[in-house]
Amino acid sequence: MGMAQAVPIIFQQPLLTIDRKTTSQMSKTSLKKQHALMERSDMEQLILELYEARKEAKEYLDFFVQPDIDAKLRRARTAIDKEAARVTRGRARPRVTRVKRFIKDITSLNPGAEPSCEIMTYTVERFCAVGSANWIKESTARSLAKLMADTVKAADLGGVLSLFLPRITAAVEAIRADKFYNSDFRELMTETLQDAINSLTCAPE
């Protein structure tokens, strides 16, 4: 394949840089200003319209009214189990985007650190077992390793690391290393876990 010709006009600097954090803060500020101008009846109507218009809002508000986190966790675990069971001839084929969505279904409810880390840790445990017995493609393995690192950090920030780190460590140590594929997976998860622990402000002994 030949080299493409150079584009004659080159921008030395980007025309526009979008700071997502700043944009989010601006949106919240605008929302607060608008809320201050609304009558109570208008606010009630807005909430009802949002409830009917958006599935995510309905789930959030339903949980707000009746916060049954145990039922939510059971459904999420069942969905994750189905993805973990997607194995054909020794090759695991979980759909990582779906797994992340099932986790987000819990974390987006803001149920607290323990339920959020519970579903993340459960996912790590399930896929450590899957990777121990089956081949997982590299991109999926790296996504799972990142999830594990994120779980360690979230547990540390939430003050629940002592509850979940032993489970994560046990899951990684239980990965077999008798085949080339699970040996590579174990090495990746072991190194990632150690890096995650080392990155903590106060690494556990």
Side-chain angles (χ1 to χ4, degrees), residues 103-120:
I103 293 172
K104 189 176 180 181
D105 286 344
I106 298 297
T107 59
S108 63
L109 296 172
N110 296 319
E114 191 168 335
S116 294
C117 291
E118 168 59 37
I119 195 61
M120 295 171 77

Side-chain angles (χ1 to χ4, degrees), residues 6 14 24-26 38 60-61 90 138 140 150 184 197:
S24 176
Q25 291 173 343
M26 290 174 61
M38 296 178 71
Y60 186 89
L61 292 170
E138 183 178 355
T140 300
D150 290 344
D184 290 345
I197 293 172

Side-chain angles (χ1 to χ4, degrees), residues 28-142:
K28 289 181 180 179
T29 300
S30 299
L31 183 60
K32 287 179 180 179
K33 288 180 179 179
Q34 184 63 36
H35 175 258
L37 298 173
M38 296 178 71
E39 298 289 341
R40 179 184 177 88
S41 59
D42 294 332
M43 194 64 195
E44 290 174 350
Q45 183 62 31
L46 176 62
I47 292 173
L48 291 174
E49 290 177 357
L50 183 61
Y51 182 86
E52 295 177 355
R54 303 291 298 180
K55 178 183 177 183
E56 296 86 353
K58 182 180 185 300
E59 291 178 353
Y60 186 89
L61 292 170
D62 282 342
F63 183 76
F64 178 80
V65 173
Q66 189 175 2
D68 188 353
I69 191 60
D70 290 335
K72 292 284 187 181
L73 285 171
R74 283 195 298 272
R75 284 195 289 271
R77 290 191 192 101
T78 298
I80 289 167
D81 287 344
K82 288 181 180 179
E83 289 301 313
R86 286 174 54 85
V87 177
T88 304
R89 296 181 179 178
R91 291 175 176 263
R93 303 183 186 278
R95 293 166 292 192
V96 176
T97 53
R98 291 201 177 193
V99 172
K100 290 179 179 178
R101 190 185 76 206
F102 301 143
I103 293 172
K104 189 176 180 181
D105 286 344
I106 298 297
T107 59
S108 63
L109 296 172
N110 296 319
E114 191 168 335
S116 294
C117 291
E118 168 59 37
I119 195 61
M120 295 171 77
T121 299
Y122 180 81
T123 304
V124 171
E125 290 173 327
R126 289 292 288 116
F127 284 101
C128 279
V130 170
S132 179
N134 304 279
W135 175 86
I136 297 179
K137 67 179 181 180
E138 183 178 355
S139 59
T140 300
R142 293 195 177 280

Side-chain angles (χ1 to χ4, degrees), residues 144-160:
L144 296 171
K146 184 179 184 304
L147 168 63
M148 179 180 62
D150 290 344
T151 304
V152 171
K153 294 173 185 176
D156 181 54
L157 289 172
V160 292

